[in-house]
Amino acid sequence: MKILVTGGLGFIGSHTTIELIAKKHEVVIVDNLVNAKIDVLTILEGITNETIPFYPYDVTNYEKMSEVFQQHQFDGVIHFAGLKAVGESVEKPLEYYQNNLISTMTLTQLCREHAVHKFVFSSSATVYGDQESPLMEHFELKKTTNPYGETKAMCERILSDVGHARPAFEISLLRYFNPIGAHESGLIGENPNGIPNNLMPYITKVAKGELSKLNVFGDDYDTVDGTGVRDYIHVVDLAKGHVAALEHLTKGVHIYNLGTGKGTSVLELIQTFEAVNHVNVPFEIVARRAGDIATCYSDASKAKEELHFVAEKGIAEMCRDAWRFENNQLN
Ligand code: UD1
């Protein structure tokens, strides 16, 4: 299939591009480079040994995106492009609603105009809000704690309504748990601008000595050791989950968790990182972070049954691959 990948130079989009090409799909990338580097394109072309058509456009720009749809007859779209920093979304809600909603609506409109029926959307476990894990796809969604999370819930709603109004559409809403790790080549991975917000990129900066210590946000949650529990999934497994979702699409709107079904605490992740990489990660327990929940992990059985997708890589591989990528960074 010929697939448009928006945000294809970002963390998850770049890994998915590799897995799509490995399965003989053709990829065209649109990415406005707001949170990605153009060098990633060259690296992707090196890893895949393919020339990948690339457009540095903003997905909210209907005219520019229309040109792309005229130049290529796509079989499907995987929509990753979006703003994703939780804290920033609280400071700049309008930018988040504007960017994340308009991009999704623009793409959906173009898909309708060009009879592109397959649409895979990058959603998040954050749409479940604070409710008891394991989280299942049929659960009623609870209010999320920030505008970023709301944009994901709203995009799911928009795509569901479009899917019901236009039965030709084949839509998959993928709710990611916590993607970490990097490609085994060590050449692509997660490289956020500035000081990282998420746990793994912070750990790698501390291990490297660029940041002095990790703040562990709370050790008084009702969990195995008091620290937050999350369902970490290797980004390469997550990427394979997208290919499975795309290849199994059928008419209608489908929702899948992409996780491992297992919870890991902050302290367990730190200990594994130290053990497999033979490095120290100094940390300090500090107050809870606003908006955090104690425990969040998936029930991964629906993706297993319907997509035949099971995440294969464990925490040790995630830690090893994240560290290998960090050590390849020049900054
Ligand atoms: C966060 C977002 C979520 C988003 C996801 C993207 C919040 C509340 N949620 O999820 O909406 O989809 O990132 O990957 O921000 N932790 C520390 N110290 C740190 C950083 C994190 O102890 O410096 C802890 C957190 O308290 C949490 C765990 O590590 O228990 C994971 O945190 P993080 O990587 O930020 O992911 P989430 O909060 O699960």
Side-chain angles (χ1 to χ4, degrees):
M1 287 187 268
K2 185 168 190 176
I3 306 299
L4 170 62
V5 178
T6 74
L9 300 186
F11 178 43
I12 304 171
S14 58
H15 288 84
T16 302
T17 295
I18 294 174
E19 298 306 321
L20 284 166
I21 293 174
K23 295 287 298 290
K24 308 287 176 220
H25 298 294
E26 242 181 284
V27 173
V28 174
I29 292 178
V30 170
D31 193 312
N32 69 356
L33 300 171
V34 69
N35 193 24
K37 298 198 171 70
I38 188 65
D39 311 6
V40 173
L41 181 64
T42 320
I43 296 170
L44 288 178
E45 292 185 329
I47 292 173
T48 60
N49 211 14
E50 290 283 339
T51 303
I52 303 170
F54 169 72
Y55 300 86
Y57 298 161
D58 193 311
V59 184
T60 61
N61 187 327
Y62 175 85
E63 281 71 33
K64 289 287 185 198
M65 292 305 296
S66 190
E67 286 171 21
V68 178
F69 275 76
Q70 274 156 28
Q71 280 167 29
H72 303 273
Q73 180 53 55
F74 296 117
D75 297 294
V77 171
I78 307 184
H79 180 33
F80 293 103
L83 300 176
K84 62 165 191 177
V86 172
E88 184 186 61
S89 80
V90 177
E91 307 294 319
K92 302 177 179 175
L94 276 181
E95 280 85 343
Y96 272 68
Y97 289 113
Q98 160 80 19
N99 186 83
N100 291 2
L101 300 189
I102 303 293
S103 62
T104 301
M105 290 192 280
T106 303
L107 270 182
T108 316
Q109 188 182 342
L110 284 162
C111 283
R112 205 178 64 187
E113 288 166 10
H114 294 264
V116 179
H117 295 137
K118 294 181 192 293
F119 197 110
V120 176
F121 178 65
S122 196
S123 189
S124 166
T126 196
V127 300
Y128 287 111
D130 190 1
Q131 52 184 320
E132 199 168 331
S133 292
L135 297 160
M136 302 184 79
E137 290 85 346
H138 67 265
F139 284 10
E140 199 182 319
L141 303 187
K142 296 271 160 55
K143 186 158 175 20
T144 62
T145 54
N146 56 76
Y148 157 76
E150 281 306 296
T151 68
K152 291 295 177 190
M154 288 180 182
C155 286
E156 283 203 4
R157 182 65 196 266
I158 291 167
L159 289 166
S160 299
D161 289 346
V162 171
H164 291 128
R166 301 265 168 169
F169 267 111
E170 305 175 16
I171 297 174
S172 202
L173 309 175
L174 303 182
R175 294 180 179 159
Y176 311 156
F177 282 71
N178 289 55
I180 59 172
H183 191 254
E184 62 176 9
S185 65
L187 296 174
I188 57 166
E190 188 172 17
N191 194 6
N193 296 328
I195 296 180
N197 298 304
N198 296 115
L199 181 59
M200 182 56 94
Y202 208 105
I203 288 178
T204 58
K205 296 284 179 219
V206 171
K208 212 172 170 189
E210 287 178 25
L211 295 169
S212 61
K213 65 175 169 53
L214 171 74
N215 291 317
V216 174
F217 298 136
D219 69 347
D220 56 354
Y221 286 107
D222 183 15
T223 62
V224 59
D225 55 22
T227 64
V229 165
R230 296 291 183 274
D231 183 347
Y232 298 96
I233 175 169
H234 196 294
V235 65
V236 171
D237 277 329
L238 188 74
K240 289 178 177 164
H242 286 75
V243 181
L246 180 76
E247 292 179 345
H248 285 84
L249 272 172
T250 55
K251 286 192 190 348
V253 180
H254 312 276
I255 302 177
Y256 297 102
N257 287 338
L258 291 182
T260 64
K262 295 186 203 81
T264 301
S265 75
V266 176
L267 294 184
E268 286 168 343
L269 191 68
I270 297 171
Q271 280 153 13
T272 306
F273 190 94
E274 292 184 323
V276 300
N277 294 321
H278 311 289
V279 286
N280 286 325
V281 180
F283 68 86
E284 185 184 346
I285 308 289
V286 301
R288 292 180 178 192
R289 180 172 66 178
D292 268 356
I293 58 177
T295 300
C296 174
Y297 62 91
S298 65
D299 180 310
S301 54
K302 189 174 177 211
K304 182 178 179 188
E305 278 155 29
E306 296 186 13
L307 306 178
H308 310 298
F309 167 73
V310 177
E312 285 168 353
K313 294 172 188 280
I315 292 287
E317 250 173 307
M318 301 180 209
C319 290
R320 189 200 60 200
D321 291 342
W323 183 230
R324 186 192 293 120
F325 173 69
E326 180 64 41
N327 283 311
N328 277 339
Q329 301 305 296
L330 298 175
N331 55 343

